[in-house]
Amino acid sequence: MLPQDTQPISPATARLATGRDRFLAGEWERAEELCRRILAEQPEDEEAAHLLGMVALHDGRVPEALTLFGRAATLRPDYAQAHGNRAAALRRLGRYGEARAACRHALSLAPAESALLHNLGAMLREFGLEREAAAVFRRLIRLAPHNAAGYHGLADSLRKGGGLDEAISAYRTLIALHPGAAPAHGNLGIMLQFQSRLDEAKRCYARALAIDPGYAEARSNLGSAQLLTGELAAGWVNHAARWNTAENAATRFDSPLPSWDGSTLGGKRLLAWGELGVGDEILLAGMIPDLAARGIGCVLETAPRLVPLFARSFPDVEVVPRQTPPHPATAWSDLAAQSSLGDLGRWLRPDFAAFPRRHRYLAADPERVAALRSRYRAMAGGDRLVGISWHSANPTHRDFKSAPLPLWKPVLNLPGITFIDLQYGDRSADLEAVRRDQDVSIIHDEMIDPLTDLDGFAAQVGALDLVISISNTTVHVAGALGVPVWTLLARQTGFLWCWFIEREDSPWYPSMRLYRQAEANDWAPVFERVRRDLSRFPNRA
């Protein structure tokens, strides 16, 4: 006989336990078979329905998994895990609002469940609700002070939400918990680099690489920090590791050609291809004339909207658009090697002495420049023509880089200046607010759209006396054209390595002057310096 306090285990219960073991062991088909047998005998077994849903979710049968999780939650309304996994299935199907509601309901049933809190935080981050996500991760950490995923989620939410100091503290705690975790050291380095604490960041990357020498993200970031601090030779080499990161591997040009090693190529041509954004391609294209000086012919593959401008500016280079499938010129037999534009720097910009004092290397359409300048001067009545841009669309840097138009008041109220809108995208609300609140009308040219007509935008920039802008495509266009340009730099943009540190000039663009924030988020002193200098800026002849 069984002891009086022992209940016999039913066959269904035994099969369910075996099914769980099979699921945890990765034996998905066996786990599914056992669950289906249980449900055939006991259709109201919520545990079997839930486990079968887990198998379906793992196999990518998400609608089926959603149905099974819903069935389990209906059979037992207080089944928090079923509601939580239903949220995960809804999230996989892109039904984010329902997923968020389901996860919140699961948390109401099990408010101290760490996995549910983590899932909710992750979903909120997907919705772009970084501050709300950070609050959830803080709650998770209070409940589970040793939960590494909680500190990681908190730090990443804070980074994108602007709370870098707390993010740094979170990563330091994570490292104290797991000192051998290379990603924790690497991510702390990223936070410090965002704050331009570059020596500390480099030490973090070095520790990450000591733990994992193959950690491509840490090596690439070390390279960008070295470039920022002027260690160009080492920086270019380490930054090349970006092509081994998961983020960039898919964007690397697929070519059987060997990477260029700086040699003369024996009379054959080099395939150079653009990377990152349009502004970066313009910046790095400043090295294309150096290839001709070395006697190296070039095929340049670039963003389609850059083709007219680059073709005019580099008449001895075959400029082709980046497209799918690749342009036939990228596979011609007279090509001996290939290189991204960024990797040219290893051979052409090994130190600051290698930067030529080239006034300009891009050429706008002279007829369009003349026509636009004539039209703007007629509208300005003899005023100086100053183009401005204030907003960045870069999702990583926009909150730091952007300088909202109301902050420009000391500059916009200067007499004798007509301001031209160079901001890409629809910023009509910003322009109207300035007109209403400051009685300043900024000319917006409906005939020029930088997003669709970059060649026309170059002509617009070329028609002006001066450009003042945050770090975006506008300043690269102006600098490459040789137009005087004042670039407003936020302090928390430690990954914009092209501006280096502490300099007030740019070796890339002799016509550029840099105005840097001394303190993070404090634009007022910057605009006061700009106002002072602009009051003395002369008209162009």
Side-chain angles (χ1 to χ4, degrees):
M1 289 183 59
L2 290 169
Q4 192 171 5
D5 59 347
T6 300
Q7 298 295 324
I9 299 175
S10 71
T13 301
R15 282 195 295 270
L16 183 60
T18 303
R20 288 197 193 96
D21 292 341
R22 295 291 180 264
F23 179 82
L24 293 173
E27 299 176 19
W28 319 115
E29 292 183 4
R30 180 60 176 152
E32 180 169 356
E33 176 188 344
L34 289 166
C35 289
R36 292 197 185 281
R37 286 176 60 188
I38 295 169
L39 289 172
E41 296 173 11
Q42 299 182 24
E44 296 188 355
D45 190 316
E46 74 279 4
E47 295 280 358
H50 180 262
L51 183 56
L52 186 56
M54 295 287 288
V55 174
L57 189 64
H58 177 272
D59 283 350
R61 307 192 314 263
V62 184
E64 181 183 351
L66 178 62
T67 299
L68 288 162
F69 293 141
R71 177 177 172 181
T74 300
L75 289 167
R76 196 172 98 201
D78 65 347
Y79 196 171
Q81 193 175 2
H83 288 285
N85 284 323
R86 182 173 176 273
L90 288 164
R91 176 183 177 189
R92 292 265 293 270
L93 292 171
R95 293 161 62 177
Y96 297 119
E98 295 173 82
R100 185 178 173 189
C103 197
R104 288 194 181 283
H105 182 62
L107 277 171
S108 71
L109 297 170
E113 179 61 51
S114 296
L116 294 176
L117 280 165
H118 184 270
N119 289 343
L120 177 59
M123 272 189 278
L124 291 169
R125 292 200 60 228
E126 282 190 14
F127 305 150
L129 302 172
E130 302 292 354
R131 291 184 180 179
E132 195 172 342
V136 171
F137 287 122
R138 288 190 193 99
R139 179 178 169 189
L140 169 58
I141 290 168
R142 285 195 297 271
L143 290 169
H146 300 288
N147 188 298
Y151 286 104
H152 183 278
L154 174 61
D156 218 28
S157 299
L158 291 166
R159 185 192 76 181
K160 295 186 177 177
L164 294 184
D165 288 336
E166 190 180 355
I168 287 170
S169 176
Y171 270 120
R172 291 196 190 283
T173 303
L174 180 56
I175 288 170
L177 292 171
H178 300 282
H185 293 280
N187 287 328
L188 175 58
I190 291 172
M191 304 296 133
L192 292 165
Q193 188 165 342
F194 267 115
Q195 288 194 331
S196 298
R197 296 161 63 178
L198 299 175
D199 289 339
E200 294 175 80
K202 286 189 282 187
R203 287 195 291 270
C204 287
Y205 299 139
R207 284 192 287 268
L209 289 167
I211 297 167
D212 179 5
Y215 188 6
E217 288 84 354
R219 189 166 300 282
S220 173
N221 289 334
L222 173 61
S224 70
Q226 290 170 324
L227 290 171
L228 267 161
T229 55
E231 304 164 73
L232 301 187
W236 292 120
V237 172
N238 284 321
H239 194 46
R242 68 193 180 282
W243 300 119
N244 298 324
T245 66
E247 181 180 2
N248 291 322
T251 63
R252 182 171 183 168
F253 190 87
D254 185 14
S255 172
L257 294 169
S259 297
W260 186 46
D261 61 2
S263 64
T264 58
L265 302 182
K268 288 194 172 185
R269 294 192 297 173
L270 172 71
L271 170 62
W273 45 276
E275 56 177 304
L276 304 173
V278 166
D280 301 284
E281 292 198 33
I282 292 171
L283 171 86
L284 298 169
M287 292 184 279
I288 293 297
D290 295 60
L291 295 172
R294 293 187 174 206
I296 298 174
C298 179
V299 173
L300 173 58
E301 185 201 54
T302 188
R305 58 195 180 117
L306 279 170
V307 170
L309 181 59
F310 280 1
R312 179 187 308 106
S313 305
F314 309 128
D316 297 327
V317 172
E318 184 170 5
V319 181
V320 299
R322 184 162 53 248
Q323 61 188 38
T324 303
H327 191 281
T330 64
W332 283 3
S333 60
D334 70 335
L335 295 171
Q338 58 80 27
S339 175
S340 72
L341 285 176
D343 290 335
L344 294 177
R346 178 178 181 181
W347 313 108
L348 302 178
R349 300 290 183 268
D351 51 44
F352 287 119
F355 283 79
R357 295 297 294 176
R358 189 179 291 124
H359 175 62
R360 67 175 179 85
Y361 55 86
L362 293 189
D365 182 335
E367 293 184 1
R368 294 183 77 175
V369 171
L372 287 166
R373 182 161 179 81
S374 176
R375 180 153 61 88
Y376 294 158
R377 292 190 73 173
M379 299 167 71
D383 284 355
R384 290 162 289 175
L385 299 173
V386 177
I388 62 171
S389 177
W390 58 94
H391 179 75
S392 171
N394 185 306
T396 302
H397 299 294
R398 65 182 171 218
D399 293 335
F400 302 136
K401 287 171 61 175
S402 297
L405 201 50
L407 299 178
W408 292 62
K409 184 174 181 179
V411 174
L412 298 179
N413 286 326
L414 283 172
I417 299 172
T418 293
F419 293 96
I420 313 295
D421 171 23
L422 298 180
Q423 182 61 57
Y424 50 85
D426 181 11
R427 311 302 299 185
S428 55
D430 293 353
L431 297 175
E432 173 56 25
V434 166
R435 187 201 62 77
R436 182 186 64 244
D437 300 338
Q438 300 184 32
D439 194 27
V440 174
S441 294
I442 299 171
I443 294 175
H444 174 74
D445 193 339
E446 294 284 356
M447 298 175 63
I448 303 294
D449 183 355
L451 297 177
T452 60
D453 181 14
L454 199 53
D455 201 33
F457 181 64
Q460 183 183 35
V461 170
L464 305 177
D465 297 309
L466 172 69
V467 169
I468 307 174
S469 173
I470 62 161
S471 173
N472 60 16
T473 299
T474 300
V475 298
H476 294 294
V477 171
L481 291 171
V483 173
V485 52
W486 298 353
T487 301
L488 315 180
L489 295 178
R491 186 159 186 81
Q492 291 178 313
T493 49
F495 281 86
L496 300 180
W497 55 262
C498 65
W499 306 129
F500 307 110
I501 58 171
E502 297 178 354
R503 303 181 67 126
E504 294 184 354
D505 68 330
S506 168
W508 302 99
Y509 306 122
S511 68
M512 182 177 288
R513 185 185 303 177
L514 304 177
Y515 291 78
R516 299 177 182 271
Q517 283 184 347
E519 301 292 337
N521 303 313
D522 186 6
W523 284 112
V526 172
F527 281 110
E528 180 54 35
R529 294 198 303 274
V530 170
R531 185 203 64 78
R532 180 197 64 211
D533 293 346
L534 186 56
S535 67
R536 300 193 293 259
F537 190 80
N539 258 331
R540 192 173 91 184

